[in-house]
Amino acid sequence: MLAQLLTFAWTAPSLDYHALAPEIIVAATIVVLILVDVFTGERSRWASSSIAGIGLLLALIPIATLAYDGVDRAMFGGGFVVDNYALVLKALFLVAGYVVILLSTNYIAEGDYHEGEYYTLLLSSVLGMVVMASARDLISIFIALELVSIPAYMLAAWRKRDQNSNEAGLKYYLMGVFASAILLYGMSLIFGITGSTLLVDIGAELGSYVSSQPIITLGIAFVLIGFAFKVSAVPFHQWAPDTYEGAPTPVTSFLAVASKAAGFVAILNVLFIGFYGRHDVWEPLMWALAALSMTVGNLIALRQTNVVRMLAYSGIAQAGYILAPLAVAGATLGTGSEALRSIVVYLLIYAGMNLGAFAVVLAVARKTRSGEIKSFGGLFSYAPALTVCMTIFLFSLAGIPPAAGWFAKLSIFSSLASAGTASGYVLAVIVGLNSVIAFGYYGRLIRVMWMDEAPDGDRTPIKVPASLSFALIITVAVTLVWGVFPGALTHFTDHITLFSLLR
Amino acid sequence: MKDFLNSWGISLMVFLPLVGALAMLVVPKAKEQFHKVVALAASLVVGFIGILLMTNFDYDASGRLQFVVDMAWIPIINSRYIVGIDGISLPMIALTLLIVPLCIIYSWNRFPEPKNPKAFLILILILETGMLGSFVAQDLILFFVFFEVVLLPMYFMIGVWGGEKRQYASLKFFLYTLFGSALMIVAFLALYFLSDKVSVDGQMMHSFDVRLLPELATGISTGAALWIFGGMFIGFGIKVPMFPFHTWLPDAHTQAPTVGSVILAAVLLKLGTYGFIRIAIPILPGAAEKWAPFIGLLAVIGIIYGALCCLAQTDMKRLIAFSSVSHMGFVMLGIATLTTFGFQAAIFGMVAHGLITGMLFFVAGSAKDRYHTLDISRLGGMLKSMPRMGWILGFSVMASLGLPGLAGFWGEFPAILAAYEPGLGLNVAFFRVLMVIAAIGTVLSAAYLLWMYQRVGFGVPSKEFEEDPHLHDVTFSEWLAWTPILILIVVLGFVPNIIFKVTDGAVSRTISIVNGLGG
């Protein structure tokens, strides 16, 4: 009887194991990590980071084969899609996760933290991101988002004997669940109206209204505000600086780059597939969020004295730049795909340059044991290579060629200008003015490194461990190569598109 | 040979300094001699390639871009690696190729604090790549990239090796220029999206190609064109610098190390005027015509204002800096007339100003090394204590105030004359008023320069410097660095046709575009 009922109500979905391979490999690595941690003693704890790193690199292999294959694959009734867009972002998350592992290796090993658990949680979060890139359904998006966030709450509080770290974790957790609640409420409203959780169906249903209904507006606004918390857009950013400062620095880099990118991916998914037809609702919202985020983030960043806090506010401003193209994305399909591409380009470049900046902060903190901007004084005199790396990253963040950031910003400008509307040009000018303000603090850090004296006259060189050096090499190479040959990057992002744009 | 130059010449010239810089990067900084030799060698080899290019340049067709390389660079936005040289860029390139090795020779034994020749010379080489790249780029995005690359080394040069207020000056310089280029890039993109498409490999795409844009941009509405021109105007105008945007210049010049000031005055400022001639005006002639009276007005205000500021200065270097504002005003006035004559005068003025003001900054730097001050009231009697240097200063001052027979004359007077008969559609009476005011400016410039020279060169050395053992005359490396400039100032003064002939074809072509489409 029971068996009969089951076969009637539930038919097993056809699984495309090739398409799921990246997720399966990451999940398997998590299992291996737990087992290794349980069955081996203290002696082999060092293995955790290697296993985690290798696992992420292995997961890149099926991504390469899938990209080579080039066929879009959809599963679970269209709720899980593997296409160019998803593959590019999955690769981003895996590589960013790998770099974060490189950044963590020495920090976690030397700090006497729980290595096995740390990497397990880190990989769980990465798994959530990888799923997010493919999620095309409200439920799977929500699950992916929680899978990203919940391990991150714990990671933020990882230095458990440190009050700041506890504050970081708690604040992040409380704001995170608050955001999730708002998000869920918005999702339920949307589901109530459209009767579906599948983004494609939602898109068709919402697009069929001539103008927006109050309840639709409310639903869309709540969903987007929920994600705005995740990407720390102003005015939903208050948690970010405290969390970033209190969390262990490798975790901060993870939150600032990978976790934030996951939030943006979620926004892209719902916006371009689910809500695309209702651009009359979300365009003004995005305009305001973008303009506020970049302006407020930059202005507050000017006044920071701590490097990590400065990078946190800079990240808020960068979130503003990333949101900017969405303010004009609904005009035509052309501007829509332009906006989508420019955001993905920005996310890729942002990951490279920001992880690099955190790598330098970590390396310098190994000597100075401080995150104050002052502690970078005279860096050029005793660590010229690190100074040059940091300078490249900061110039990149400021958008000055030949570091890759200029192309990211150019893409943003370009998609804003492509709309050809007054609001697009005005926002482009705001982005331009903000780039100038931003150099005020990026330039100050550069100035301190190059032109100031070492604060305590201590000029012993910094020993950079191998894994950090490797992370620096990857990020510098990426930042410079993409800056000089942007074609090497656009090659991957040329053909990305989201479902509804095709229709 | 010709084939090789055609396909590789320009790229080699632009990127060879970077190769030198990379080689220096991997050698420890203790090997100072190595760094100096490599840097000088790199700049000389680049100069040699430049000479090869110039000897193979077809001067009868100077209006045509030569040695053109056109390759895909960022396919998605159809931004291409397009480089080429024509009669407008050639003098600028020659100026850059000359100034850079001279700067390296000049600093051979006198690197400003905190020394570190390795980093200093690497920055100069990066700067050279940026400058040369800007002058050869024929794609807006490529131009923008090189234009920005120039910023970085100059920022560090002022900020690390500069005077007491170096941090303030370097940041001010950077923020100003960044502000300009942010608006400029928005303007470029607006231009890109509003202009017509071209066929690229069978696909219709927008284009950043400077060669094609004058034609593609004809369809842009007047209102939009005015805004776009405004964005470029701010970007280039800050770099020139034009009157209300000039305040970064005196600080940057005063605080920069000698070589930095020289490069800044000789080449960097020209990027702005070059941008007007190469990009802003030919692409949007209609808007240029509307903006021209305004530009002319600001140029003349700059002339007078800069001159008056000079009269109020007590610091020699700051005085020379303000004289730059004044002299670049003449260049902008020439450009604002939108005539062949005016453009020619402007380009000549750019070269002449580069040589003369560069020379003045060299002398000022050397004087500072000896006196340890540039306070005009404390100096005096240079002709007595250091006769040769005193004469060189006098010579440069004469050149700068536009004495006929020296290079400065051919920059200023044709520019003033051109304002007598401005281009099609411009208000003649208005420009004649500007002409008269600009002419008064030349009197003022004679006044402040001679006043400065009297107080620095004439008289007897003041008490504090009477017996100063540091006051030795021109050294060997200074002679080596200065002689070519001094000779060129005389030669160009007597045979201005050297430059006028080169620029003629290219300028006529540009003006015919302006008149043909914008009249």
Side-chain angles (χ1 to χ4, degrees):
Chain A
M1 173 68 192
L2 191 65
Q4 211 175 6
L5 194 67
L6 269 179
T7 45
F8 174 71
W10 192 75
T11 46
S14 67
L15 289 180
D16 180 347
Y17 286 104
H18 191 189
L20 284 172
E23 284 82 0
I24 293 172
I25 292 179
V26 176
T29 314
I30 294 172
V31 174
V32 172
L33 269 175
I34 296 174
L35 290 178
V36 167
D37 198 48
V38 169
F39 289 109
T40 61
E42 289 284 298
R43 277 178 299 111
S44 49
R45 285 196 319 174
W46 57 269
S48 311
S49 73
S50 313
I51 295 171
I54 292 169
L56 290 186
L57 290 182
L58 279 180
L60 281 170
I61 296 173
I63 288 186
T65 57
L66 283 166
Y68 181 74
D69 194 35
V71 184
D72 292 353
R73 297 148 189 265
M75 268 173 284
F76 310 119
F80 187 96
V81 171
V82 178
D83 54 5
N84 282 325
Y85 164 83
L87 287 176
V88 169
L89 289 166
K90 280 173 201 242
L92 164 68
F93 291 133
L94 290 172
V95 174
Y98 178 68
V99 173
V100 171
I101 289 174
L102 289 178
L103 298 187
S104 310
T105 307
N106 289 76
Y107 190 97
I108 298 297
E110 288 162 14
D112 193 28
Y113 301 114
H114 309 280
E115 286 185 86
E117 289 85 342
Y118 178 87
Y119 293 108
T120 313
L121 289 175
L122 193 67
L123 254 61
S124 309
S125 194
V126 172
L127 178 61
M129 295 168 186
V130 176
V131 173
M132 178 67 86
S134 288
R136 301 287 187 275
D137 180 287
L138 289 182
I139 308 262
S140 56
I141 287 178
F142 185 74
I143 290 173
L145 195 70
E146 292 303 294
L147 193 50
V148 171
S149 302
I150 292 172
Y153 301 146
M154 284 183 265
L155 289 175
W158 208 248
R159 293 187 299 163
K160 61 182 177 188
R161 287 176 197 84
D162 184 291
Q163 244 177 11
N164 284 337
S165 188
N166 280 311
E167 182 195 343
L170 195 63
K171 214 167 211 170
Y172 188 31
Y173 170 70
L174 289 177
M175 294 311 272
V177 289
F178 181 51
S180 293
I182 295 181
L183 178 68
L184 270 183
Y185 185 40
M187 283 181 172
S188 67
L189 289 180
I190 297 291
F191 175 69
I193 289 180
T194 59
S196 169
T197 57
L198 208 56
L199 290 177
V200 185
D201 296 345
I202 293 174
E205 182 67 24
L206 290 183
S208 67
Y209 288 85
V210 180
S211 65
S212 181
Q213 312 288 318
I215 192 140
I216 298 179
T217 310
L218 209 60
I220 292 178
F222 276 3
V223 168
L224 292 179
I225 286 172
F227 289 132
F229 270 104
K230 299 284 173 191
V231 301
S232 67
V234 177
F236 311 108
H237 65 286
Q238 286 93 343
W239 60 272
D242 292 334
T243 302
Y244 285 9
E245 193 186 353
T249 315
V251 174
T252 306
S253 73
F254 183 69
L255 295 181
V257 174
S259 169
K260 185 178 275 191
F264 278 111
V265 171
I267 293 184
L268 293 178
N269 290 352
V270 295
L271 217 59
F272 280 107
I273 305 175
F275 304 159
Y276 195 72
R278 282 274 71 84
H279 61 85
D280 50 337
V281 175
W282 51 259
E283 273 188 349
L285 188 67
M286 286 298 158
W287 203 98
L289 280 182
L292 271 178
S293 298
M294 57 182 116
T295 313
V296 173
N298 277 328
L299 287 179
I300 302 183
L302 281 175
R303 302 201 49 87
Q304 299 308 314
T305 55
N306 181 295
V307 169
V308 179
R309 273 189 98 80
M310 190 196 88
L311 285 175
Y313 280 107
S314 123
I316 293 171
Q318 304 270 349
Y321 303 145
I322 302 175
L323 288 174
L326 295 176
V328 297
T332 60
L333 282 188
T335 51
S337 35
E338 186 92 21
L340 178 66
R341 274 197 293 263
S342 67
I343 290 173
V344 174
V345 163
Y346 207 111
L347 288 176
L348 292 170
I349 292 176
Y350 177 72
M353 60 195 183
N354 222 23
L355 282 175
F358 276 109
V360 178
V361 171
L362 269 168
V364 174
R366 288 177 69 81
K367 166 171 182 276
T368 61
R369 298 278 153 216
S370 155
E372 293 301 302
I373 291 181
K374 263 188 259 139
S375 69
F376 278 71
L379 194 65
F380 180 58
S381 60
Y382 62 88
L386 278 180
T387 311
V388 170
C389 290
M390 190 61 169
T391 308
I392 292 173
F393 297 132
L394 289 172
F395 275 132
S396 187
L397 284 164
I400 293 158
W406 79 272
F407 185 70
K409 218 161 254 172
L410 180 83
S411 311
I412 299 292
F413 279 134
S414 162
S415 76
L416 284 172
S418 74
T421 55
S423 75
Y425 282 118
V426 170
L427 198 55
V429 171
I430 295 179
V431 173
L433 294 179
N434 267 290
S435 319
V436 182
I437 301 175
F439 192 77
Y441 55 89
Y442 295 130
R444 190 176 49 165
L445 184 52
I446 294 174
R447 206 176 65 194
V448 169
M449 292 189 301
W450 286 75
M451 302 168 199
D452 283 359
E453 295 296 318
D456 44 6
D458 178 10
R459 291 191 174 188
T460 43
I462 296 177
K463 264 200 184 150
V464 185
S467 61
L468 260 184
S469 310
F470 189 47
L472 277 171
I473 291 171
I474 297 177
T475 46
V476 165
V478 159
T479 308
L480 284 182
V481 169
W482 284 348
V484 178
F485 303 106
L489 173 62
T490 53
H491 175 72
F492 297 108
T493 56
D494 259 6
H495 305 293
I496 60 168
T497 178
L498 274 168
F499 256 5
S500 74
L501 290 177
L502 283 172
R503 295 185 164 190
Chain B
M1 186 71 203
K2 183 95 184 167
D3 285 344
F4 176 76
L5 284 179
N6 271 332
S7 48
W8 287 102
I10 293 182
S11 307
L12 210 56
M13 175 178 81
V14 171
F15 292 107
L16 212 75
L18 272 194
V19 176
L22 281 181
M24 291 162 69
L25 209 55
V26 293
V27 175
K29 71 175 172 191
K31 298 192 172 170
E32 295 191 0
Q33 206 60 29
F34 170 87
H35 292 298
K36 291 180 197 169
V37 171
V38 170
L40 184 62
S43 68
L44 287 177
V45 173
V46 172
F48 177 69
I49 300 171
I51 291 171
L52 281 183
L53 285 170
M54 282 180 237
T55 48
N56 281 288
F57 187 81
D58 181 358
Y59 289 93
D60 295 328
S62 73
R64 188 167 53 82
L65 274 181
Q66 300 180 26
F67 313 110
V68 175
V69 176
D70 184 348
M71 290 189 312
W73 180 43
I74 315 176
I76 179 92
I77 52 173
N78 190 23
S79 171
R80 305 178 66 80
Y81 176 80
I82 312 173
V83 294
I85 299 179
D86 70 355
I88 295 175
S89 41
L90 188 85
M92 298 296 111
I93 292 167
L95 184 65
T96 312
L97 292 175
L98 174 75
I99 292 291
V100 171
L102 296 186
C103 283
I104 296 175
I105 293 172
Y106 178 83
S107 33
W108 202 262
N109 284 322
R110 52 164 88 210
F111 285 94
E113 289 297 330
K115 305 290 182 199
N116 198 348
K118 173 183 174 183
F120 193 78
L121 292 169
I122 287 180
L123 290 180
I124 291 189
L125 290 180
I126 298 176
L127 202 52
E128 186 171 24
T129 291
M131 297 187 292
L132 291 172
S134 308
F135 289 131
V136 297
Q138 303 293 333
D139 177 282
L140 290 182
I141 297 298
L142 191 65
F143 174 83
F144 172 77
V145 169
F146 282 123
F147 192 81
E148 296 280 285
V149 164
V150 169
L151 270 182
L152 313 180
M154 195 39 98
Y155 169 71
F156 287 115
M157 214 177 257
I158 299 174
V160 179
W161 286 271
E164 269 166 27
K165 279 164 53 188
R166 56 180 184 268
Q167 302 206 343
Y168 168 76
S170 58
L171 194 62
K172 193 170 178 183
F173 161 75
F174 205 99
L175 289 184
Y176 255 93
T177 325
L178 200 63
F179 172 73
S181 44
L183 291 185
M184 187 171 87
I185 192 70
V186 175
F188 282 176
L189 285 165
L191 183 67
Y192 170 78
F193 282 110
L194 294 177
S195 56
D196 298 332
K197 293 185 177 184
V198 289
S199 162
V200 186
D201 302 330
Q203 212 183 342
M204 294 306 281
M205 289 183 93
H206 291 297
S207 173
F208 285 111
D209 192 335
V210 177
R211 301 167 300 176
L212 304 176
L213 274 171
E215 202 178 317
L216 300 176
T218 45
I220 298 179
S221 71
T222 318
L226 282 176
W227 278 103
I228 296 173
F229 194 93
M232 295 190 205
F233 169 76
I234 292 178
F236 295 136
I238 285 176
K239 201 85 174 182
V240 172
M242 295 200 65
F243 163 62
F245 311 123
H246 67 279
T247 55
W248 63 268
L249 182 88
D251 289 311
H253 264 320
T254 321
Q255 300 304 322
T258 306
V259 171
S261 292
V262 171
I263 295 180
L264 190 58
V267 189
L268 255 57
L269 304 188
K270 277 69 197 177
L271 287 175
T273 40
Y274 175 81
F276 276 106
I277 296 179
R278 164 73 64 201
I279 294 169
I281 293 176
I283 294 179
L284 295 169
E289 199 188 303
K290 296 268 193 323
W291 273 85
F294 183 62
I295 296 176
L297 182 68
L298 287 182
V300 170
I301 294 178
I303 295 174
I304 301 293
Y305 178 85
L308 292 177
C309 284
C310 282
L311 284 170
Q313 295 311 312
T314 56
D315 183 284
M316 188 168 149
K317 223 174 162 187
R318 216 173 158 83
L319 186 146
I320 303 171
F322 270 110
S323 85
S324 274
V325 177
S326 183
H327 283 123
M328 292 308 279
F330 286 105
V331 174
M332 285 313 296
L333 179 64
I335 292 174
T337 62
L338 302 181
T339 57
T340 319
F341 197 42
F343 270 37
Q344 295 249 38
I347 296 171
F348 199 100
M350 283 148 76
V351 176
H353 174 265
L355 293 172
I356 297 168
T357 310
M359 193 60 225
L360 281 172
F361 275 120
F362 267 140
V363 176
S366 289
K368 173 118 191 196
D369 285 349
R370 292 164 170 83
Y371 290 112
H372 299 288
T373 176
L374 283 176
D375 192 347
I376 298 177
S377 59
R378 286 169 64 193
L379 306 177
M382 191 191 268
L383 280 167
K384 273 230 168 68
S385 45
M386 299 179 283
R388 294 198 183 86
M389 187 128 92
W391 278 110
I392 292 176
L393 177 64
F395 176 83
S396 319
V397 161
M398 294 304 155
S400 183
L401 61 82
L403 195 73
L406 297 176
F409 176 77
W410 297 106
E412 278 179 25
F413 274 81
I416 296 174
L417 280 180
Y420 184 76
E421 202 70 63
L424 287 177
L426 294 178
N427 186 332
V428 177
F430 178 74
F431 269 88
R432 285 187 187 167
V433 173
L434 292 184
M435 178 187 87
V436 174
I437 304 175
I440 296 170
T442 60
V443 180
L444 287 177
S445 80
Y448 64 76
L449 282 165
L450 290 176
W451 176 76
M452 183 266 280
Y453 187 55
Q454 272 187 2
R455 309 219 305 176
V456 174
F458 295 172
V460 286
S462 61
K463 277 247 160 51
E464 59 176 319
F465 296 117
E466 227 168 4
E467 301 290 315
D468 197 328
H470 295 294
L471 297 192
H472 52 86
D473 217 330
V474 184
T475 63
F476 178 67
S477 67
E478 285 168 346
W479 275 123
L480 216 54
W482 295 352
T483 318
I485 303 183
L486 296 172
I487 293 175
L488 266 177
I489 292 177
V490 178
V491 170
L492 289 180
F494 275 101
V495 204
N497 243 357
I498 298 176
I499 290 182
F500 285 140
K501 250 189 96 163
V502 177
T503 55
D504 190 35
V507 168
S508 314
R509 209 184 119 259
T510 308
I511 294 296
S512 74
I513 293 174
V514 173
N515 289 338
L517 301 166

